[in-house]
Amino acid sequence: MSDTREVHDAVRTNLQRRRELSRMTRGELIDYIVNVEDNLAALSARIDHAYGDEP
C-alpha cells in the first residue's frame, strides 16, 4: 500500500471517528473518556510489567 493511500485512509478514519464522537451525548462522551483512560492505564501497566526498569 502506498504512503498516500495510508494517509488517505487514516484521515478518512479520523473524520469518521470525529463524526461518531460528535453525535454522542455528554454522558456518553464522559463514559468514553473514562474507558480510554482505563485502557491506557492497563496498557501502561502491561508495558511496565513487560519491560520492568529498563531505561
Side-chain angles (χ1 to χ4, degrees), residues 4-17:
T4 304
R5 181 69 181 171
E6 288 178 21
V7 169
H8 179 265
D9 289 345
V11 168
R12 183 178 60 207
T13 302
N14 187 27
L15 289 173
Q16 289 171 338
R17 191 68 191 129

Side-chain angles (χ1 to χ4, degrees), residues 1-53:
M1 183 180 293
S2 71
D3 290 341
T4 304
R5 181 69 181 171
E6 288 178 21
V7 169
H8 179 265
D9 289 345
V11 168
R12 183 178 60 207
T13 302
N14 187 27
L15 289 173
Q16 289 171 338
R17 191 68 191 129
R18 290 176 62 90
R19 288 184 185 122
E20 291 170 5
L21 291 171
S22 70
R23 291 184 194 116
M24 289 183 176
T25 65
R26 184 172 186 219
E28 290 171 332
L29 284 170
I30 291 170
D31 290 343
Y32 179 83
I33 291 167
V34 168
N35 187 32
V36 168
E37 289 175 341
D38 290 345
N39 287 331
L40 286 173
L43 179 60
S44 178
R46 288 179 65 188
I47 290 170
D48 288 345
H49 178 73
Y51 294 102
D53 294 329

